[in-house]
Amino acid sequence: MDVRGRGEDGLGRAFTYSVPERLAEEVQVGSYVLVPFGKQRLPGYVIGFTSEKPPARLRDIIATLLDKPVFGEAEAALAEWISRRYLCSRADALRLLLPPGKSQKVLRQVSPTEVGRKAYEQGLVDRASRQKQVLGTLLDGPMEFEGLCQAIAAAEKGVKRASVSSALDSLEQRGYVVQVRELQRPAAATVHRQVAHLAEPEEPWEDVLAEVAAKAPRQAEVIEELMAADEAVPVAELSRSAVSALQKKGLVAVEEQAVRRVPYSEKWEGAGSEFLKLTPDQQRIYDDIATAIDNDEFLEVLIHGVTGSGKTEVYLHCISKALRQGKSAIVLVPEISLTPQMVGRFEARFGERLALQHSALGVGERFDEWRRAAIGEASIVIGARSAVFAPLQNLGVIIVDEEYDPAYKQDSSPRYNAVEVARHRAKAAGAVLVSGSATPSLECYYAARASEDAELMELPQRIDDRPMPAVKIIDLRGEVKTGTGTTFSQELLEGLQARLAAGEQSMLFLNRRGFSTFLICRECGHTPRCPDCAVSLTHHYGEQVLKCHHCDYRITVPEKCPECGDLDVGFLGLGTERVADQVQRALSAARVLRMDRDTTTTRGAYGKILGKFARGEADILVGTQMIATGHDFPNLTLVGVLNADTGLHRPDFRAAERTFQLLTQVSGRPGRAEKPGQVLVQTYNADHYAIRTAATHDYVAFYALELETRRRSLYPPFVELVRLVISCQDQQQGWAAAQNVAVALDEEGVYHRKGGEATADEMHFSGPAECALRKLRGRYRFSLLLKGPDGEQLASAVSRLLAKIKLPDAVALSVDVDPLNMM
């Protein structure tokens, strides 16, 4: 939840209305309705029914705006759970379930029926009536209500919309027209096209065709084309005048057909459509999941499998099983645009039954894919975290690939965790939740080992018993550097040269983009910083700017120090842009690609870069964590980790875990085919347990060491967390507000831990303190961290706090339940 000033907008609350008898059969949970609100008439969604009548006089719902509900009772219950779990308004939670787009306009499509056409031709509709005028306008084909009103107004000035609407309702009651009301997103409206198909003539088609051919050969050609077609033909591909004439004769029917915008997807070579035979370990896992799907029972499974062990093939078999049972499936991927290989495999297996849902698509594409799932045209949705809300019915299985990834956590209100939402949705639907990773989160692995509600299943070997790549740690503290500076050790540079000579490929991983980390004046030590965020500006050589990676503030690279005017300014630190430049200088014959946020801003750039590398059009791929997960390149035999320490010392209790996960994932990229792989890890912390265990691919050893650290420090999985962040443009006012929040928490019975001991059995908090990122986008930030054994108990305490705390208008308070970002 985000609270600014004195609280939320009142319209985030639920209001009670009565359902008039005329709407009793139409109004359902999820119905989009028009209601009186003060002196206004506003649209809203029905979220439930009650038999308890409030003391105030109830007002009636005016009308339903759509033919069908936008969501059902299960989705309304999910929104209610989200609002309680993540301490957000129910309105914010409901918005997660609505179609993509921002406005909520209704598209009213009107079509004449064959009965209506004949009635018009036979003069059964009063020629002087508005109904006759409306029906006559519609004879040329289906129209949107707005277009119909404009056409009638063009013929007769002063016609009111209400008059047209009333005529349509009367015509609909007589069976002369059909009205369809759908929710439209202005920036994502459904694209329609007119299609034609043959009607049912009173005489045999042979006789009709002979008669038409004698008088109108072009019309006869259209009839022959439609007779030869297996489905309706777009009118644009036919003679429009001939179609119109045949339509008036009742020989051809014209309808509106929704056109699917096909999302961009890099076509991946080698994505076979055949299901592969499962190994014994894979088969054992599949059998347990298939049994649960057959029995419509909730089951949570964690597949802990080394990289290249065939987890995706298990996913595909489980989805196929669900489809054979008439069920649907959701597949969550941390960053779908970064895994075109996975999407390609799913498209090859399931074709048109697959819908994509993620933020990299245009809003129109997302709307179309959402609609395909809502009407049952697609039975599988694959996407990033928002895909967990896909409007699929009869869920059979939800797959969460790489469940540890922090991208599953929403960083703005409502701050939901898609993995947790998937668990709740699967449990409510009696579906199976399958999570998979070589590096599951500590909390998930702990729960799978300790809980009766989840099963831990192992895939300890790569497919075909291929060996894991050999990992060597290179201790930079004693390494003699090459002429390229501190970027490449001698062994890494020699390894790159050897792969280039052998025609093999390499990856270089550094989780920091840009050319240099910062600019510094060698005379006075000044470093340009972002005026709105507490960070130095990163140098981007290609753009010749210094840029803030948090708010995108930028300035031109100065020729002299802006503080003292000295010309001796230099660049320190290392980013992927500089690495790509240095490797190209060191290996001039190499074809180098770079993949980071700066090179993937254009549509489809992810797939294009990875596609080039997969086709062998590049020798070396330099990248950030974008290249660490989900890629399978047969000719990749070397991965170099340039600095394993970049995230190791972040002020975050998960820093060691994130380092282990990234190193393990990127170390799993080479040697996945016939050629063996090697990983060279450069570090100044060669003895750290996260780096040592990643080098031996030993998750269990890392888990044991990290778990003990968490136990001593009272962090998950031993406690639940809620993080409060107070921000303000005025530093002193923000700090005072943070202290007031701490006092209010103390009054609510939450023990204030001030350096003393606390236990996992008691609810307590620490802070306030400056956030690690103390200033962001012009606002100073302070945090308090609540810990406790029970999440509901913590949520209750925070809810009471929010109800009583009075914040100045300039102060904002955000609530993050189960936080993953501690900065």
Side-chain angles (χ1 to χ4, degrees):
M1 170 181 276
D2 290 338
V3 179
R4 188 180 294 270
R6 302 196 176 276
E8 285 189 282
D9 186 341
L11 294 183
R13 296 182 285 119
F15 296 88
T16 305
Y17 289 84
S18 60
V19 181
E21 188 174 342
R22 61 185 173 81
L23 297 177
E25 294 185 3
E26 295 182 34
V27 176
Q28 306 172 47
V29 171
S31 290
Y32 191 44
V33 297
L34 187 67
V35 297
F37 193 85
K39 296 182 179 180
Q40 305 176 73
R41 299 185 351 154
L42 299 176
Y45 293 95
V46 177
I47 60 174
F49 295 91
T50 179
S51 56
E52 297 180 11
K53 189 174 182 180
R57 183 180 69 85
L58 291 181
R59 303 173 75 180
D60 283 352
I61 292 175
I62 298 171
T64 54
L65 298 176
L66 299 172
D67 293 340
K68 297 178 181 179
V70 177
F71 53 84
E73 292 185 10
E75 289 76 21
L78 177 63
E80 173 65 21
W81 175 82
I82 289 173
S83 69
R84 293 196 311 271
R85 170 60 177 153
Y86 298 106
L87 299 173
C88 67
S89 71
R90 194 182 303 183
D92 281 346
L94 278 172
R95 289 188 187 100
L96 299 170
L97 305 172
L98 301 181
K102 293 183 178 180
S103 70
Q104 299 178 11
K105 292 185 178 179
V106 174
L107 178 67
R108 189 175 175 186
Q109 192 79 16
V110 189
S111 304
T113 64
E114 288 301 315
V115 174
R117 290 182 182 281
K118 292 179 180 179
Y120 183 88
E121 292 168 357
Q122 295 171 8
L124 300 179
V125 183
D126 184 3
R127 291 184 179 275
S129 70
R130 180 73 65 208
Q131 294 180 35
K132 178 72 174 181
Q133 185 183 26
V134 169
L135 186 57
T137 306
L138 289 171
L139 289 183
D140 288 336
M143 300 181 71
E144 293 182 10
F145 177 71
E146 296 298 328
L148 176 63
C149 290
Q150 292 172 8
I152 292 177
E156 180 184 343
K157 293 185 178 180
V159 176
K160 295 182 178 181
R161 289 161 49 90
S163 173
V164 178
S165 183
S166 177
L168 281 173
D169 291 341
S170 297
L171 290 169
E172 187 174 37
Q173 291 175 6
R174 299 172 70 177
Y176 291 171
V177 300
V178 174
Q179 299 186 80
V180 177
R181 301 170 180 86
E182 295 180 327
L183 195 63
Q184 172 190 320
R185 299 301 184 191
T190 305
V191 177
H192 289 89
R193 65 177 179 182
Q194 287 190 329
V195 295
H197 62 84
L198 295 175
E200 294 294 332
E202 297 178 357
E203 302 176 14
W205 270 114
E206 291 78 5
D207 298 341
V208 171
L209 186 58
E211 182 180 345
V212 172
K215 300 179 180 179
R218 180 64 62 85
Q219 295 178 28
E221 290 177 6
V222 169
I223 292 176
E224 290 175 342
E225 287 187 55
L226 293 177
M227 292 178 71
D230 295 328
E231 55 186 17
V233 177
V235 173
E237 298 177 9
L238 304 168
S239 167
R240 197 172 284 275
S241 60
V243 170
S244 180
L246 291 170
Q247 186 180 10
K248 291 178 180 179
K249 295 176 182 179
L251 299 177
V252 168
V254 177
E255 298 175 350
E256 291 282 331
Q257 184 183 73
V259 179
R260 180 191 175 194
R261 301 176 181 92
V262 180
Y264 175 85
S265 178
E266 178 79 8
K267 297 304 178 184
W268 208 265
E269 296 178 9
S273 60
E274 299 297 323
F275 284 87
L276 306 179
K277 181 177 175 58
L278 298 178
T279 66
D281 284 338
Q282 290 174 318
Q283 188 67 47
R284 172 177 49 82
I285 296 172
Y286 168 75
D287 288 342
D288 282 2
I289 295 171
T291 299
I293 293 174
D294 280 334
N295 296 335
D296 297 325
E297 64 183 21
F298 171 70
L299 173 67
E300 182 174 358
V301 173
L302 170 62
I303 303 177
H304 176 222
V306 298
T307 56
S309 59
K311 294 182 290 293
T312 302
E313 193 63 37
V314 176
Y315 301 161
L316 293 165
H317 278 72
C318 292
I319 293 169
S320 180
K321 172 66 176 179
L323 295 183
R324 292 196 301 272
Q325 296 296 106
K327 300 180 179 182
S328 59
I330 294 174
V331 183
L332 300 182
V333 183
E335 295 289 349
I336 192 170
S337 296
L338 310 186
T339 54
Q341 285 174 316
M342 171 174 274
V343 176
R345 291 180 69 178
F346 277 80
E347 287 179 335
R349 302 288 175 92
F350 301 113
E352 289 295 312
R353 289 179 291 179
L354 181 72
L356 302 179
Q357 195 63 254
H358 62 100
S359 59
L361 300 180
V363 67
E365 291 170 328
R366 281 187 282 134
F367 177 80
D368 287 348
E369 296 296 273
W370 181 93
R371 183 175 178 276
R372 291 180 64 234
I375 65 177
E377 187 176 311
S379 48
I380 310 163
V381 173
I382 181 169
R385 63 174 175 264
S386 62
V388 74
F389 302 108
L392 292 171
Q393 301 300 312
N394 197 21
L395 268 176
V397 63
I398 301 179
I399 308 290
V400 183
D401 189 45
E402 306 299 354
E403 66 76 34
Y404 72 89
D405 198 294
Y408 285 127
K409 187 72 158 67
Q410 174 90 346
D411 59 4
S412 59
S413 186
R415 292 177 170 81
Y416 68 90
N417 188 319
V419 180
E420 195 173 23
V421 174
R423 181 178 297 112
H424 183 85
R425 190 171 180 187
K427 188 177 293 186
V432 180
L433 174 64
V434 181
S435 300
S437 180
T439 56
S441 66
L442 209 73
E443 295 90 329
C444 184
Y445 192 76
Y446 179 84
R449 290 185 61 167
S451 172
E452 296 180 357
D453 298 330
E455 292 187 21
L456 175 62
M457 298 184 177
E458 303 277 357
L459 287 175
Q461 299 293 329
R462 281 187 161 185
I463 295 296
D464 297 332
D465 291 326
R466 294 187 183 114
M468 296 296 292
V471 180
K472 182 175 181 180
I473 297 174
I474 299 174
D475 191 341
L476 293 178
R477 291 172 295 185
E479 179 69 22
V480 178
K481 308 300 184 300
T482 64
T484 55
T486 60
T487 307
F488 312 112
S489 62
Q490 187 66 38
E491 187 169 356
L492 177 55
L493 189 59
E494 291 173 356
L496 292 170
Q497 291 169 335
R499 267 61 180 197
L500 186 61
E504 298 171 357
Q505 293 174 300
S506 305
M507 271 186 179
L508 293 175
F509 171 75
L510 177 67
N511 204 21
R512 182 185 292 132
R513 61 192 174 103
F515 193 86
S516 304
T517 310
F518 59 94
L519 177 147
I520 190 169
C521 173
R522 296 187 178 95
E523 178 64 26
C524 71
H526 173 72
T527 294
R529 301 178 67 83
C530 175
D532 295 323
C533 305
V535 295
S536 58
L537 299 175
T538 301
H539 177 217
H540 289 255
Y541 180 80
E543 299 177 73
Q544 280 301 297
V545 297
L546 300 178
K547 185 190 301 184
C548 174
H549 287 174
H550 294 282
C551 71
D552 205 37
Y553 170 83
R554 58 183 67 198
I555 60 173
T556 303
V557 176
E559 296 181 358
K560 58 184 180 179
C561 176
E563 192 71 17
C564 71
D566 197 272
L567 296 174
D568 191 11
V569 294
F571 302 97
L572 297 180
L574 189 67
T576 48
E577 185 181 17
R578 188 172 189 175
V579 171
D581 178 71
Q582 289 190 355
V583 76
Q584 190 69 78
R585 292 172 185 270
L587 303 170
S588 58
R591 298 166 298 171
V592 181
L593 287 173
R594 184 175 117 237
M595 186 169 178
D596 53 33
R597 193 177 299 176
D598 298 319
T599 63
T600 54
T601 55
T602 58
R603 182 176 174 83
Y606 295 116
K608 290 177 181 177
I609 293 172
L610 293 173
K612 284 184 177 180
F613 196 65
R615 292 189 295 271
E617 297 173 15
D619 305 301
I620 300 172
L621 176 62
V622 178
T624 58
Q625 63 184 7
M626 291 181 173
I627 67 172
T629 306
H631 310 305
D632 190 342
F633 302 111
N635 198 38
L636 176 65
T637 59
L638 174 66
V639 167
V641 179
L642 299 181
N643 187 348
D645 313 321
T646 50
L648 192 57
H649 302 298
R650 285 168 62 93
D652 185 340
F653 71 91
R654 292 189 176 92
E657 182 182 17
R658 298 267 168 79
T659 297
F660 173 84
Q661 288 164 339
L662 266 178
L663 291 180
T664 301
Q665 291 291 342
V666 77
S667 296
R669 296 312 104 204
R672 295 169 74 98
E674 301 302 324
K675 301 175 183 178
Q678 183 185 21
V679 182
L680 300 177
V681 179
Q682 299 183 164
T683 176
Y684 289 97
N685 292 271
D687 299 323
H688 196 284
Y689 66 93
I691 293 174
R692 284 288 177 191
T693 52
T696 56
H697 309 286
D698 195 344
Y699 176 87
V700 175
F702 170 80
Y703 168 81
L705 293 167
E706 181 67 10
L707 193 69
E708 187 54 37
T709 301
R710 301 276 184 94
R711 191 192 307 274
R712 290 196 306 268
S713 306
L714 293 184
Y715 280 113
F718 301 106
V719 293
E720 300 272 349
L721 299 181
V722 175
R723 185 172 186 245
L724 307 180
V725 175
I726 297 93
S727 66
C728 183
Q729 289 183 337
D730 183 278
Q731 188 173 12
Q732 291 184 341
Q733 188 178 19
W735 174 245
Q739 290 178 310
N740 291 338
V741 171
V743 171
L745 275 174
D746 218 353
E747 293 173 352
E748 289 301 323
V750 185
Y751 166 61
H752 192 176
R753 183 185 180 188
K754 302 178 182 178
E757 290 297 321
T759 69
D761 298 326
E762 63 180 343
M763 190 166 55
H764 61 280
F765 74 95
S766 57
E770 280 191 336
C771 294
L773 187 57
R774 65 182 185 87
K775 189 180 182 185
L776 182 65
R777 299 182 182 92
R779 302 182 70 86
Y780 292 92
R781 305 167 71 243
F782 309 91
S783 68
L784 298 95
L785 186 64
L786 286 73
K787 300 180 181 180
D790 183 75
E792 291 186 5
Q793 186 183 25
L794 283 175
S796 177
V798 175
S799 294
R800 295 194 303 271
L801 167 75
L802 295 175
K804 67 181 286 187
I805 193 74
K806 301 298 181 184
L807 296 174
D809 291 340
V811 174
L813 167 63
S814 68
V815 180
D816 193 357
V817 177
D818 186 25
L820 295 186
N821 182 358
M822 304 299 290
M823 296 298 288

